[in-house]
Amino acid sequence: MAVAMSRVRAALMLHRAVPQPQQCLLASLQLARTLVCKAVETPPAAETPPEAEKNTENKLLLDNLKVLGVDVPMARKRQPGVLRRTETNEHGLVTFLKAKGADRETVASIISRFPRAITRSRQHLEERWQLWRSVFQSDQEVVSILHRSPESFFRSSDNDNLEKNIVFLSSLGLDSRDLHRLLTTAPRTFSNSVELNRQMVELLQDICHTLGGTQPSKFAKAVISKNLYILIRSTKRVEANVKFFREALGLRDSLLLAFLQGSGADILDMSHDILRRNFRMLQEKLTSVGGSKKDSITIIVNYASVLYLSPERLSEKVDCLLREGISVGQIVQKPKVLDFSLENLKWRMDELRKLHYDFGINGITVLDTSKKRFEAKLIKLSALE
């Protein structure tokens, strides 16, 4: 374009300097316009659009990953942008993890499932490893967790934030066992800013104060220990759920406080809409089979996790138990039987039926036991036949 414009200016200068017939001037101007149009329509052949460069995978990196045994199609699906990077540390990562006890297959699996791991520097890896080792007992334990969930270790690149969170959560009285469970189960907790985690802790402490509690820090610790996901939920959700429980359960403040730091802690992070729906459906199901709204509250207080059951699954389990002659009152007193899968319940009741077991006389405690204890009970009952 610039070259064409220069030619136009040169042509005009020439015509101003040397008088020419009008026809020649018109021809020269037409030629100049043609040159400009061609310059606009045809981009320089040597230039490559920046977008094309950004979308090109690093061939050398791909070759390196294949040699390391990485599942490249999986890596491409998980984090495609990593494969376009020009600077990575795949060999450094391999050397580092092998020195910590990881074998070739483990390293390849980690990179395949979380490719961003190869972008971490040696210094970053060393710092993060030491922070994790302040919580875990051995290198092999950390390697085992990375193999199961590489995201938990590599997701965040902010080591300072991780250290601050470990210090903050430890200050609440959470011990290494609690931190261990948080890192393996809800690693996003440590990606949060300390301020965000502090907001949830302060909300829990305020809830304790509001309900007449005198040990807010102990209450917050109890809730977090029982619900490892609560720190990665919104304070609005938790606040709305507490308000709902206060209205729906009708418990005295002291009883509600005990509930929230007991079985209720498990469901404090549920979606508020689903919580309300499942509560309503539980009440409707029990009243439809002869129970009462009070019965539903008793079930929730004793076994809050029942609210995780979808209305359909809850209905199927209750009907299954009732068909075997089990009463609503028995379910209310032993609501944890609803925790077992429908298939498991059917199998257990089939086995007990063969032995002429009477739930009306003997109760349903036998259903609410581990598989090992249940099988031992079957042997004992068989001996009595």
Side-chain angles (χ1 to χ4, degrees), residues 264-290:
D266 293 333
I267 59 174
L268 269 181
D269 68 319
M270 278 186 69
S271 160
H272 185 62
D273 291 338
I274 293 176
L275 178 68
R276 293 176 67 92
R277 182 202 68 182
N278 289 359
F279 180 86
R280 185 183 71 255
M281 297 307 295
L282 173 62
Q283 286 191 326
E284 291 180 4
K285 180 60 183 179
L286 289 183
T287 54
S288 72
V289 294

mmCIF file of all heavy atoms in Angstrom, residues 264-290:
data_model
loop_
_atom_site.group_PDB
_atom_site.id
_atom_site.type_symbol
_atom_site.label_atom_id
_atom_site.label_comp_id
_atom_site.label_asym_id
_atom_site.label_seq_id
_atom_site.Cartn_x
_atom_site.Cartn_y
_atom_site.Cartn_z
ATOM 1 N N GLY A 264 -26.036 -31.913 60.454
ATOM 2 C CA GLY A 264 -26.444 -30.842 59.554
ATOM 3 C C GLY A 264 -25.287 -30.212 58.801
ATOM 4 O O GLY A 264 -25.471 -29.628 57.729
ATOM 5 N N ALA A 265 -24.066 -30.336 59.337
ATOM 6 C CA ALA A 265 -22.904 -29.755 58.674
ATOM 7 C C ALA A 265 -22.708 -30.361 57.288
ATOM 8 O O ALA A 265 -22.233 -29.697 56.360
ATOM 9 C CB ALA A 265 -21.654 -29.973 59.520
ATOM 10 N N ASP A 266 -23.085 -31.621 57.130
ATOM 11 C CA ASP A 266 -22.888 -32.321 55.855
ATOM 12 C C ASP A 266 -23.658 -31.688 54.702
ATOM 13 O O ASP A 266 -23.258 -31.822 53.541
ATOM 14 C CB ASP A 266 -23.319 -33.790 55.983
ATOM 15 C CG ASP A 266 -22.411 -34.573 56.920
ATOM 16 O OD1 ASP A 266 -21.242 -34.177 57.050
ATOM 17 O OD2 ASP A 266 -22.867 -35.557 57.510
ATOM 18 N N ILE A 267 -24.764 -31.030 55.009
ATOM 19 C CA ILE A 267 -25.609 -30.520 53.927
ATOM 20 C C ILE A 267 -25.674 -28.993 53.885
ATOM 21 O O ILE A 267 -26.453 -28.425 53.123
ATOM 22 C CB ILE A 267 -27.049 -31.084 54.040
ATOM 23 C CG1 ILE A 267 -27.674 -30.710 55.382
ATOM 24 C CG2 ILE A 267 -27.056 -32.585 53.855
ATOM 25 C CD1 ILE A 267 -29.135 -31.102 55.504
ATOM 26 N N LEU A 268 -24.840 -28.328 54.678
ATOM 27 C CA LEU A 268 -24.857 -26.869 54.688
ATOM 28 C C LEU A 268 -24.457 -26.263 53.345
ATOM 29 O O LEU A 268 -24.808 -25.131 53.040
ATOM 30 C CB LEU A 268 -23.902 -26.338 55.773
ATOM 31 C CG LEU A 268 -24.514 -26.093 57.152
ATOM 32 C CD1 LEU A 268 -23.452 -25.557 58.099
ATOM 33 C CD2 LEU A 268 -25.692 -25.140 57.068
ATOM 34 N N ASP A 269 -23.712 -27.009 52.535
ATOM 35 C CA ASP A 269 -23.242 -26.462 51.260
ATOM 36 C C ASP A 269 -24.108 -26.871 50.078
ATOM 37 O O ASP A 269 -23.772 -26.588 48.933
ATOM 38 C CB ASP A 269 -21.800 -26.897 51.000
ATOM 39 C CG ASP A 269 -21.696 -28.396 50.752
ATOM 40 O OD1 ASP A 269 -22.379 -29.148 51.463
ATOM 41 O OD2 ASP A 269 -20.943 -28.807 49.846
ATOM 42 N N MET A 270 -25.240 -27.536 50.337
ATOM 43 C CA MET A 270 -26.120 -27.949 49.242
ATOM 44 C C MET A 270 -26.695 -26.759 48.494
ATOM 45 O O MET A 270 -26.825 -25.671 49.051
ATOM 46 C CB MET A 270 -27.288 -28.788 49.787
ATOM 47 C CG MET A 270 -26.998 -30.236 50.036
ATOM 48 S SD MET A 270 -28.512 -31.139 50.507
ATOM 49 C CE MET A 270 -29.433 -31.097 48.957
ATOM 50 N N SER A 271 -27.054 -26.976 47.250
ATOM 51 C CA SER A 271 -27.798 -25.959 46.506
ATOM 52 C C SER A 271 -29.068 -25.642 47.278
ATOM 53 O O SER A 271 -29.804 -26.552 47.681
ATOM 54 C CB SER A 271 -28.149 -26.490 45.118
ATOM 55 O OG SER A 271 -29.222 -25.764 44.561
ATOM 56 N N HIS A 272 -29.322 -24.364 47.495
ATOM 57 C CA HIS A 272 -30.473 -23.976 48.317
ATOM 58 C C HIS A 272 -31.792 -24.445 47.713
ATOM 59 O O HIS A 272 -32.679 -24.929 48.426
ATOM 60 C CB HIS A 272 -30.492 -22.460 48.491
ATOM 61 C CG HIS A 272 -31.564 -21.970 49.412
ATOM 62 N ND1 HIS A 272 -31.619 -22.319 50.751
ATOM 63 C CD2 HIS A 272 -32.648 -21.184 49.179
ATOM 64 C CE1 HIS A 272 -32.674 -21.745 51.309
ATOM 65 N NE2 HIS A 272 -33.314 -21.060 50.372
ATOM 66 N N ASP A 273 -31.922 -24.336 46.398
ATOM 67 C CA ASP A 273 -33.171 -24.748 45.737
ATOM 68 C C ASP A 273 -33.398 -26.260 45.872
ATOM 69 O O ASP A 273 -34.512 -26.713 46.116
ATOM 70 C CB ASP A 273 -33.140 -24.361 44.257
ATOM 71 C CG ASP A 273 -33.210 -22.855 44.059
ATOM 72 O OD1 ASP A 273 -33.685 -22.164 44.980
ATOM 73 O OD2 ASP A 273 -32.787 -22.377 42.995
ATOM 74 N N ILE A 274 -32.339 -27.042 45.691
ATOM 75 C CA ILE A 274 -32.472 -28.500 45.815
ATOM 76 C C ILE A 274 -32.771 -28.890 47.253
ATOM 77 O O ILE A 274 -33.565 -29.799 47.512
ATOM 78 C CB ILE A 274 -31.187 -29.186 45.308
ATOM 79 C CG1 ILE A 274 -31.039 -28.973 43.802
ATOM 80 C CG2 ILE A 274 -31.196 -30.685 45.637
ATOM 81 C CD1 ILE A 274 -29.759 -29.523 43.215
ATOM 82 N N LEU A 275 -32.150 -28.206 48.191
ATOM 83 C CA LEU A 275 -32.405 -28.474 49.610
ATOM 84 C C LEU A 275 -33.885 -28.281 49.940
ATOM 85 O O LEU A 275 -34.517 -29.143 50.565
ATOM 86 C CB LEU A 275 -31.543 -27.538 50.461
ATOM 87 C CG LEU A 275 -31.710 -27.649 51.976
ATOM 88 C CD1 LEU A 275 -31.178 -28.974 52.482
ATOM 89 C CD2 LEU A 275 -30.979 -26.502 52.674
ATOM 90 N N ARG A 276 -34.438 -27.166 49.517
ATOM 91 C CA ARG A 276 -35.857 -26.880 49.781
ATOM 92 C C ARG A 276 -36.763 -27.908 49.088
ATOM 93 O O ARG A 276 -37.731 -28.391 49.672
ATOM 94 C CB ARG A 276 -36.210 -25.467 49.299
ATOM 95 C CG ARG A 276 -35.529 -24.356 50.073
ATOM 96 C CD ARG A 276 -35.857 -22.999 49.479
ATOM 97 N NE ARG A 276 -37.270 -22.684 49.659
ATOM 98 C CZ ARG A 276 -37.758 -22.013 50.695
ATOM 99 N NH1 ARG A 276 -36.953 -21.575 51.634
ATOM 100 N NH2 ARG A 276 -39.037 -21.760 50.786
ATOM 101 N N ARG A 277 -36.422 -28.242 47.844
ATOM 102 C CA ARG A 277 -37.245 -29.209 47.102
ATOM 103 C C ARG A 277 -37.235 -30.571 47.775
ATOM 104 O O ARG A 277 -38.295 -31.195 47.980
ATOM 105 C CB ARG A 277 -36.723 -29.340 45.673
ATOM 106 C CG ARG A 277 -37.526 -30.292 44.797
ATOM 107 C CD ARG A 277 -36.721 -30.806 43.623
ATOM 108 N NE ARG A 277 -35.631 -31.686 44.050
ATOM 109 C CZ ARG A 277 -34.754 -32.229 43.216
ATOM 110 N NH1 ARG A 277 -34.804 -31.963 41.925
ATOM 111 N NH2 ARG A 277 -33.801 -33.026 43.676
ATOM 112 N N ASN A 278 -36.053 -31.061 48.133
ATOM 113 C CA ASN A 278 -35.956 -32.390 48.733
ATOM 114 C C ASN A 278 -36.609 -32.444 50.099
ATOM 115 O O ASN A 278 -37.188 -33.473 50.489
ATOM 116 C CB ASN A 278 -34.488 -32.817 48.824
ATOM 117 C CG ASN A 278 -33.901 -33.129 47.459
ATOM 118 O OD1 ASN A 278 -34.587 -33.038 46.441
ATOM 119 N ND2 ASN A 278 -32.637 -33.488 47.423
ATOM 120 N N PHE A 279 -36.532 -31.347 50.826
ATOM 121 C CA PHE A 279 -37.214 -31.279 52.133
ATOM 122 C C PHE A 279 -38.725 -31.398 51.947
ATOM 123 O O PHE A 279 -39.406 -32.156 52.651
ATOM 124 C CB PHE A 279 -36.861 -29.962 52.831
ATOM 125 C CG PHE A 279 -37.501 -29.796 54.180
ATOM 126 C CD1 PHE A 279 -36.900 -30.310 55.318
ATOM 127 C CD2 PHE A 279 -38.707 -29.118 54.315
ATOM 128 C CE1 PHE A 279 -37.492 -30.157 56.566
ATOM 129 C CE2 PHE A 279 -39.306 -28.955 55.554
ATOM 130 C CZ PHE A 279 -38.698 -29.477 56.686
ATOM 131 N N ARG A 280 -39.248 -30.649 50.990
ATOM 132 C CA ARG A 280 -40.691 -30.681 50.717
ATOM 133 C C ARG A 280 -41.142 -32.065 50.253
ATOM 134 O O ARG A 280 -42.160 -32.585 50.711
ATOM 135 C CB ARG A 280 -41.033 -29.634 49.659
ATOM 136 C CG ARG A 280 -42.542 -29.514 49.396
ATOM 137 C CD ARG A 280 -42.863 -28.525 48.304
ATOM 138 N NE ARG A 280 -42.476 -28.998 46.976
ATOM 139 C CZ ARG A 280 -41.428 -28.561 46.308
ATOM 140 N NH1 ARG A 280 -40.638 -27.626 46.806
ATOM 141 N NH2 ARG A 280 -41.155 -29.042 45.098
ATOM 142 N N MET A 281 -40.358 -32.685 49.375
ATOM 143 C CA MET A 281 -40.730 -33.993 48.851
ATOM 144 C C MET A 281 -40.648 -35.084 49.923
ATOM 145 O O MET A 281 -41.421 -36.047 49.905
ATOM 146 C CB MET A 281 -39.839 -34.353 47.658
ATOM 147 C CG MET A 281 -39.973 -33.412 46.470
ATOM 148 S SD MET A 281 -41.679 -33.191 45.901
ATOM 149 C CE MET A 281 -42.068 -34.849 45.327
ATOM 150 N N LEU A 282 -39.719 -34.941 50.854
ATOM 151 C CA LEU A 282 -39.630 -35.895 51.962
ATOM 152 C C LEU A 282 -40.899 -35.818 52.805
ATOM 153 O O LEU A 282 -41.482 -36.854 53.172
ATOM 154 C CB LEU A 282 -38.399 -35.586 52.826
ATOM 155 C CG LEU A 282 -38.270 -36.395 54.127
ATOM 156 C CD1 LEU A 282 -38.143 -37.885 53.840
ATOM 157 C CD2 LEU A 282 -37.077 -35.902 54.944
ATOM 158 N N GLN A 283 -41.322 -34.619 53.101
ATOM 159 C CA GLN A 283 -42.554 -34.443 53.880
ATOM 160 C C GLN A 283 -43.760 -35.028 53.143
ATOM 161 O O GLN A 283 -44.575 -35.737 53.742
ATOM 162 C CB GLN A 283 -42.791 -32.962 54.168
ATOM 163 C CG GLN A 283 -41.861 -32.381 55.228
ATOM 164 C CD GLN A 283 -42.304 -31.001 55.675
ATOM 165 O OE1 GLN A 283 -42.842 -30.210 54.885
ATOM 166 N NE2 GLN A 283 -42.089 -30.690 56.936
ATOM 167 N N GLU A 284 -43.841 -34.742 51.859
ATOM 168 C CA GLU A 284 -44.983 -35.239 51.085
ATOM 169 C C GLU A 284 -44.994 -36.767 51.010
ATOM 170 O O GLU A 284 -46.056 -37.388 51.108
ATOM 171 C CB GLU A 284 -44.951 -34.644 49.677
ATOM 172 C CG GLU A 284 -45.244 -33.148 49.647
ATOM 173 C CD GLU A 284 -45.205 -32.578 48.234
ATOM 174 O OE1 GLU A 284 -45.016 -33.373 47.278
ATOM 175 O OE2 GLU A 284 -45.355 -31.347 48.072
ATOM 176 N N LYS A 285 -43.822 -37.369 50.860
ATOM 177 C CA LYS A 285 -43.752 -38.830 50.767
ATOM 178 C C LYS A 285 -44.169 -39.486 52.078
ATOM 179 O O LYS A 285 -44.953 -40.445 52.087
ATOM 180 C CB LYS A 285 -42.332 -39.259 50.392
ATOM 181 C CG LYS A 285 -42.159 -40.781 50.276
ATOM 182 C CD LYS A 285 -43.075 -41.369 49.216
ATOM 183 C CE LYS A 285 -42.987 -42.868 49.133
ATOM 184 N NZ LYS A 285 -43.911 -43.431 48.117
ATOM 185 N N LEU A 286 -43.653 -38.979 53.181
ATOM 186 C CA LEU A 286 -43.975 -39.597 54.470
ATOM 187 C C LEU A 286 -45.453 -39.446 54.819
ATOM 188 O O LEU A 286 -46.084 -40.387 55.329
ATOM 189 C CB LEU A 286 -43.109 -38.996 55.580
ATOM 190 C CG LEU A 286 -41.621 -39.375 55.551
ATOM 191 C CD1 LEU A 286 -40.899 -38.768 56.747
ATOM 192 C CD2 LEU A 286 -41.440 -40.894 55.563
ATOM 193 N N THR A 287 -46.020 -38.275 54.549
ATOM 194 C CA THR A 287 -47.442 -38.092 54.859
ATOM 195 C C THR A 287 -48.315 -38.957 53.948
ATOM 196 O O THR A 287 -49.394 -39.398 54.353
ATOM 197 C CB THR A 287 -47.847 -36.609 54.700
ATOM 198 O OG1 THR A 287 -47.478 -36.145 53.402
ATOM 199 C CG2 THR A 287 -47.171 -35.756 55.756
ATOM 200 N N SER A 288 -47.829 -39.266 52.742
ATOM 201 C CA SER A 288 -48.622 -40.088 51.822
ATOM 202 C C SER A 288 -48.670 -41.561 52.250
ATOM 203 O O SER A 288 -49.531 -42.311 51.799
ATOM 204 C CB SER A 288 -48.045 -39.987 50.397
ATOM 205 O OG SER A 288 -46.806 -40.673 50.288
ATOM 206 N N VAL A 289 -47.732 -41.973 53.117
ATOM 207 C CA VAL A 289 -47.711 -43.370 53.565
ATOM 208 C C VAL A 289 -48.028 -43.497 55.050
ATOM 209 O O VAL A 289 -47.718 -44.506 55.691
ATOM 210 C CB VAL A 289 -46.351 -44.035 53.251
ATOM 211 C CG1 VAL A 289 -46.144 -44.145 51.758
ATOM 212 C CG2 VAL A 289 -45.201 -43.283 53.920
ATOM 213 N N GLY A 290 -48.629 -42.455 55.607
ATOM 214 C CA GLY A 290 -49.080 -42.549 56.998
ATOM 215 C C GLY A 290 -48.211 -41.860 58.017
ATOM 216 O O GLY A 290 -48.502 -41.913 59.224
#
